[in-house]
């Protein structure tokens, strides 16, 4: 075959869950041919031959990102977040409905958010809507406008404009969402448990963990399971921190309930025992727990109880992140990890003998399927040409000051990781994360 293509990439490629030598031919924004014939050189206007230490992966799909624009753009914004995403191999992200002002709890607010994203996104961006007490009864309007689902908190969110749902309101939201086939994604911590566990704070990290015990997650997840059983709605548990919930979730899925689960890089690669006093860059809610809990989360991924991994990129200004001079109760909670999700997870997986193929499955293939993003999450003929050149054994020393998200704060600062993203291609074109180019599209649920 003598066809000429816009771009041909030759090297070791992740195809159908396994790495093998191949050539990937791209025309426009799509992969049009994959050839593993060693004696055939496909012709292209541009040909990229991967180095011996490089692999070609599908672009990472991160369905849990807080961009905070408009309203709190000093915390993060679409330009900075999406450049960091591209530098980290993320080609698609879905933005959370908070902490922007206004939050994405109405069609009008969604249009404000879309207008902000349209001004400068380096990767493809979709949007979650919000389920708060005042938006109940109107969720289908947002669904019809193209959001991928609805986020709810079961405990205070930390911002006044996004209040949490009571248990009764959770059931109301699930019943409403079941009526039009939507999806509720839930920050599952129980406020009654948090109230009982509250302490005087301070710089000691284990003392902070005690204020947000596993029981808070267990009680909240139990409420979600009860609601799904009663209504038949689809629900998703966000940022699972406590492995103690895994048997309950496994039982619910064995029952046939439509519940999915995610966890995050910081829970899989950082642990309580190595967090110094006063190091509030590690604060997140629910918290990073101990090493035994981390081992159990990895087992939950391996046995399929946990479906996938997303970053929950949740940055703030340095002033807020370090407020209180090391007091974990005062500092803002959230881990800024969008650029480092892939290398952080891969480094931890590699140390456990877990192959890169599984990591990509959890961070790209499964997340794309969860969001219904056809043509993403795998390198296939007819699929979107969102691909990443990754050097899995290259060392990566993290310097927070050199990361591309807006504020130079990172729980990974000073860490030595493995895996470097050498290039990110979006729709067949290389993305320069340091440029002002805005090749990203705004996505709607199909």
């Amino acid at each position: 075959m003598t066809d000429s293509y816009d771009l041909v990439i030759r090297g070791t490629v992740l195809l159908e869950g396994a790495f093998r030598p191949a050539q990937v031919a791209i025309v426009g924004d799509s992969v049009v041919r994959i050839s593993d014939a060693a004696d055939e050189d496909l012709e292209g206007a541009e040909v990229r031959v991967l180095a011996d230490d490089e692999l070609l992966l599908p672009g990472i799909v991160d369905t849990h990102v807080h961009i905070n624009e408009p309203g709190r753009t000093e915390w993060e914004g679409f330009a900075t977040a999406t450049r960091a995403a591209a530098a980290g191999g993320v080609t698609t992200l879905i933005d959370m409905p908070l902490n922007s002002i206004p939050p994405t709890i109405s069609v009008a607010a969604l249009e404000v958010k879309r207008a902000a994203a349209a001004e400068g996104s380096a990767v493809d961006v979709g949007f979650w809507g919000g389920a708060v007490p005042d938006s109940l009864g109107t969720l289908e309007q947002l669904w019809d406008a193209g959001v991928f689902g609805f986020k709810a908190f079961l405990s205070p969110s930390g911002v006044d404009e996004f209040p949490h749902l009571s248990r009764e309101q959770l059931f109301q939201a699930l019943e409403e969402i079941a009526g039009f086939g939507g999806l509720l994604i839930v920050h599952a911590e129980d406020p009654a448990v948090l109230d009982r566990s509250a302490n005087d704070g301070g710089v000691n990290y284990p003392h902070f963990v005690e204020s947000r015990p596993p029981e808070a997650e267990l009680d909240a997840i139990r409420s979600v399971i009860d609601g799904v059983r009663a209504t038949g709605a689809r629900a998703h548990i966000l940022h699972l921190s406590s492995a103690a919930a895994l048997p309950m979730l496994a039982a619910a899925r064995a029952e046939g309930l439509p519940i999915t689960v995610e966890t995050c890089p910081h829970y899989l690669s950082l642990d309580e025992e190595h967090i110094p006093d006063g190091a509030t860059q590690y604060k997140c809610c629910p918290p990073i727990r101990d090493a035994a809990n981390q081992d159990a989360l990895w087992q939950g991924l391996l046995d399929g109880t946990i479906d996938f991994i997303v970053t929950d990129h949740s940055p703030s200004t340095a002033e807020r992140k370090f407020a209180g001079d090391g007091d974990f109760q005062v500092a803002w909670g959230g881990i800024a990890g969008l650029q480092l999700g892939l290398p952080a997870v891969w480094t931890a997986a590699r140390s456990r003998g877990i192959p890169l193929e599984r990591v990509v499955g959890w961070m790209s293939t499964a997340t794309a399927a969860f969001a219904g993003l056809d043509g993403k999450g795998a390198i296939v003929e007819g699929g979107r040409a969102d691909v990443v050149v990754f050097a899995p054994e290259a060392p990566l020393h993290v310097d927070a000051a050199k990361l591309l998200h807006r504020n130079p704060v990172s729980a990974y600062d000073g860490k030595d990781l493995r895996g470097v993203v050498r290039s990110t291609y979006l729709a067949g074109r290389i993305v320069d994360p340091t440029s002002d180019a805005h090749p990203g599209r705004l996505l709607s649920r199909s």
Side-chain angles (χ1 to χ4, degrees):
M1 187 170 181
T2 59
D3 295 314
S4 181
Y5 306 96
D6 296 335
L7 171 66
V8 173
I9 302 177
R10 299 176 187 152
T12 303
V13 184
L14 184 60
L15 299 169
E16 299 179 328
F19 286 104
R20 67 173 190 261
Q23 300 177 85
V24 177
I26 295 166
V27 174
D29 61 7
S30 299
V31 174
V32 296
R33 188 174 176 205
I34 297 171
S35 172
D36 55 8
D39 57 353
E40 177 187 29
D41 284 341
L42 301 183
E43 298 178 4
E46 178 185 354
V47 175
R48 170 99 180 241
V49 179
L50 301 185
D52 290 343
D53 68 337
E54 294 177 341
L55 305 171
L56 191 69
L57 315 177
I60 300 302
V61 177
D62 192 339
T63 58
H64 193 153
V65 179
H66 294 265
I67 294 182
N68 308 329
E69 184 180 9
R72 291 190 174 94
T73 310
E74 71 275 12
W75 295 17
E76 188 63 281
F78 284 100
T80 49
T82 58
R83 289 175 188 175
V90 177
T91 53
T92 305
L93 60 84
I94 305 183
D95 172 66
M96 284 291 164
L98 76 163
N99 300 302
S100 57
I101 302 174
T104 314
I105 56 176
S106 68
V107 174
L110 173 63
E111 291 309 311
V112 172
K113 180 70 74 77
R114 289 176 63 86
E119 294 181 3
S121 293
V123 301
D124 291 350
V125 177
F127 305 92
W128 295 107
V132 300
D134 285 348
S135 69
L136 299 183
T138 66
L139 299 180
E140 190 170 4
Q141 298 171 22
L142 260 177
W143 181 253
D144 291 342
V147 300
F148 285 80
F150 304 89
K151 181 174 186 176
F153 277 76
L154 301 187
S155 58
S157 71
V159 293
D160 292 340
E161 66 275 3
F162 203 94
H164 67 285
L165 301 181
S166 67
R167 189 175 190 275
E168 293 72 22
Q169 289 165 335
L170 166 66
F171 276 54
Q172 182 182 343
L174 287 167
E175 186 173 25
E176 180 180 351
I177 287 169
F180 56 82
L183 169 68
L184 187 71
I185 62 174
V186 185
H187 180 123
E189 288 183 288
D190 185 271
V193 176
L194 296 179
D195 287 345
R196 292 196 302 268
S197 306
N199 58 35
D200 58 357
V203 301
N204 181 256
Y205 182 74
H207 195 52
F208 166 65
V209 176
E210 290 171 2
S211 73
R212 304 190 89 97
E215 290 75 20
E217 290 185 80
L218 291 170
D219 283 7
I221 290 170
R222 189 174 294 111
S223 292
V224 175
I225 291 171
D226 290 345
V228 170
R229 185 181 292 116
T231 64
R234 291 187 297 144
H236 175 73
I237 304 301
L238 297 166
H239 46 51
L240 182 70
S241 158
S242 174
L246 291 172
M248 181 195 314
L249 288 162
R253 291 156 69 102
E255 186 182 335
L257 299 181
I259 296 177
T260 48
V261 190
E262 70 184 35
T263 192
C264 303
H266 39 280
Y267 301 133
L268 298 168
S269 63
L270 306 171
D271 62 74
E272 177 180 338
E273 292 85 346
H274 292 90
I275 296 179
D277 284 353
T280 52
Q281 64 269 34
Y282 292 94
K283 179 183 176 181
C284 57
C285 300
I288 297 166
R289 304 191 188 275
D290 60 35
N293 180 80
Q294 183 182 95
D295 291 343
L297 289 176
W298 276 106
Q299 183 56 45
L301 281 161
L302 290 169
D303 67 25
T305 306
I306 300 174
D307 296 274
F308 53 78
I309 305 168
V310 290
T311 63
D312 187 12
H313 177 73
S314 186
S316 70
T317 62
E319 290 76 15
R320 293 188 66 91
K321 194 63 185 160
F322 295 118
D325 295 324
D327 188 328
F328 281 94
Q329 290 293 359
V330 177
W332 178 260
I335 303 293
L338 186 57
Q339 187 171 338
L340 297 171
L342 175 58
V345 174
W346 164 234
T347 301
R350 178 179 177 275
S351 72
R352 295 169 180 269
I354 298 171
L356 182 59
E357 299 95 302
R358 299 295 304 272
V359 171
V360 177
W362 291 320
M363 300 188 75
S364 180
T365 310
T367 46
F370 168 70
L373 293 168
D374 294 339
K376 290 179 178 279
I379 301 174
V380 295
E381 291 184 356
R384 183 91 168 160
D386 297 348
V387 294
V388 174
V389 177
F390 186 62
E393 295 305 314
L396 175 62
H397 180 77
V398 180
D399 180 350
K402 295 180 180 179
L403 298 175
L404 297 183
H405 63 261
R406 185 175 295 277
N407 291 283
V409 179
S410 172
Y412 301 99
D413 190 27
K415 299 284 191 296
D416 288 305
L417 305 177
R418 288 280 186 166
V420 172
V421 173
R422 297 261 172 86
S423 299
T424 296
Y425 290 82
L426 181 71
R429 295 191 176 186
I430 199 164
V431 180
D432 179 357
T434 65
S435 79
D436 292 328
H438 307 142
R441 302 175 302 158
L442 302 187
L443 304 177
S444 292
R445 174 190 50 81
S446 58

